[in-house]
Amino acid sequence: MSQRASDQAIQVKPLAGHIGAEIHGADISKPLPDDSVAAIRAALLKWKVVFFRNQPLGHAEQIAFAARFGEVTYAHPHEDEPFDEHPEILAIDSRRYDRRYGRRFSYENRWHTDVTAAVNPPAASILRAHILPPYGGDTTWTNLVAAYEGLSAPLRALVDGLRAEHRFGLRFAPQDQDSPYLRKVRENPLISIHPVVRVHPETGERALFVSPGFTSHIVGLSPRESSAILDLLFEQISRPTYTVRFRWEPGSIAFWDNRATAHLGPQDLGHLDVERVLYRVTLTGDIPVGVDGVRSEIVAGEPFGKRPPSKLKPARKDKAAEAEVQA
């Protein structure tokens, strides 16, 4: 049954048992009153990812909506072609990936939590659909709190005390080692050590904080031990029990808590000649804290926030190109 926020037209409609809800009754293209923002935040914290339909947002409106929930970051630590007027926007654009990386879809198509190579990964991400294929292209999210709680008590006790390294550019095939993307990663390395289990700064919940996209190894274990434990945890976070799958439509928005979720991009488009363009913004995050109270630490790079990394030299897009992609 829908859960109506008090004194609001906002309705929260859960989509799956552990994660995901659609929010109705909010026009997020316009300024929202504080109580609506509070209702959306409460739904986000409970359901981990919330979805909006039929929202007529452009870049400016997407950034303005995100700013009601925190500081909006620069597009991405490795984004060297930001939009001139809106450097906060990251284009998830099949045409752009093909031009820059030689592949039509995202450079990271495994389960991952956004930008965990940074010592302060984004608190949340907001993704807006622009151009969609006629079929396929869904995104799936998983609840990392529920995945942690689904482990046996002895295993929870074990992983509570572990720490793992996160970095970009993991597990690429040998023929891809000289790709433009990996060259960019090597020029601007970003590596951090995070707790395998982080404590959510708002809810106090414990969440698994590993993903095959960015977690390289568990610190202090042998390679064999690390692989065995990570493979078990990767399997745990990807269990369908903890997931929700979202079918994109024009005007769809996904807003997820990056501290408590991982997500999986489309797996069914590689053989199709289709276009898929979405735009993402992220919110500046805190430094994760483990069950033992120890904070994450930087190995290489710098914290991720509203300014581009100091080693990055963005080549600004011209205004005409930005206007074209918003059309």
Side-chain angles (χ1 to χ4, degrees):
M1 180 173 294
S2 295
Q3 302 166 20
R4 187 176 295 273
S6 62
D7 302 320
Q8 289 296 313
I10 290 177
Q11 298 177 51
V12 180
K13 180 182 178 183
L15 298 180
H18 284 289
I19 182 173
E22 282 193 1
I23 293 183
H24 301 277
D27 180 356
I28 64 174
S29 68
K30 299 176 181 177
L32 292 173
D34 291 345
D35 46 4
S36 293
V37 172
I40 293 170
R41 183 185 294 276
L44 178 68
L45 292 175
K46 179 174 182 179
W47 292 105
K48 314 310 182 194
V49 57
V50 294
F51 306 104
F52 303 83
R53 299 284 191 184
N54 303 311
Q55 298 289 334
L57 274 64
H59 290 345
E61 291 82 8
Q62 183 176 3
I63 294 167
F65 171 71
R68 294 302 312 276
F69 297 89
E71 179 185 80
V72 182
T73 71
Y74 179 72
H76 189 275
H78 292 136
E79 179 53 71
D80 56 3
E81 291 185 4
F83 292 123
D84 189 37
E85 297 297 321
H86 300 103
E88 303 91 344
I89 295 285
L90 178 69
I92 312 296
D93 187 336
S94 58
R95 303 161 302 184
R96 189 166 181 258
Y97 286 128
D98 193 25
R99 173 175 61 84
R100 302 193 71 187
Y101 306 128
R103 57 177 69 192
R104 286 191 57 77
F105 299 99
S106 173
Y107 63 81
E108 185 44 70
N109 234 22
R110 297 160 292 186
W111 284 102
H112 65 282
T113 298
D114 285 335
V115 199
T116 60
V119 72
N120 62 326
S125 299
I126 300 172
L127 188 61
R128 166 173 58 100
H130 180 56
I131 298 173
L132 298 170
Y135 49 86
D138 297 356
T139 304
T140 304
W141 283 263
T142 186
N143 182 337
L144 298 179
V145 173
Y148 170 79
E149 294 173 347
L151 297 173
S152 65
L155 189 51
R156 290 198 303 270
L158 171 65
V159 298
D160 280 349
L162 299 178
R163 300 170 71 76
E165 181 191 88
H166 293 237
R167 61 168 68 216
F168 287 112
L170 290 178
R171 303 177 181 91
F172 275 69
Q175 63 269 23
D176 294 330
Q177 291 303 308
D178 197 39
S179 69
Y181 169 69
L182 289 182
R183 288 200 300 270
K184 185 185 301 184
V185 168
R186 288 190 285 267
E187 291 167 0
N188 181 26
L190 194 60
I191 307 169
S192 295
I193 304 294
H194 294 301
V196 169
V197 179
R198 71 173 295 179
V199 178
H200 196 286
E202 294 186 68
T203 68
E205 296 170 311
R206 297 181 184 184
L208 290 175
F209 204 59
V210 294
S211 70
F214 299 135
T215 308
S216 62
H217 67 277
I218 296 176
V219 175
L221 301 188
S222 71
R224 182 176 64 85
E225 293 168 337
S226 174
S227 294
I229 293 176
L230 285 178
D231 285 347
L232 185 153
L233 297 180
F234 294 162
E235 188 277 333
Q236 176 72 358
I237 69 173
S238 63
R239 290 182 59 193
T241 302
Y242 306 122
T243 68
V244 64
R245 181 167 174 161
F246 186 63
R247 177 66 51 85
W248 294 96
E249 299 171 352
S252 293
I253 307 291
F255 182 5
W256 63 94
D257 187 338
N258 200 54
R259 303 162 296 188
T261 62
H263 56 281
L264 181 68
Q267 304 294 297
D268 58 351
L269 298 182
H271 65 296
L272 300 177
D273 185 17
V274 296
E275 293 183 355
R276 182 178 184 269
V277 180
L278 303 93
Y279 297 112
R280 192 189 79 188
V281 297
T282 52
L283 303 180
T284 301
D286 61 306
I287 296 177
V289 176
V291 175
D292 56 5
V294 177
R295 288 155 48 101
S296 299
E297 58 186 281
I298 294 175
V299 176
E302 57 196 71
F304 179 45
K306 63 182 181 180
R307 298 185 182 279
S310 58
K311 289 186 178 180
L312 195 66
K313 295 179 175 57
R316 296 282 185 163
K317 291 183 178 179
D318 61 35
K319 295 182 180 180
E322 182 168 3
E324 180 181 353
V325 297
Q326 292 202 76

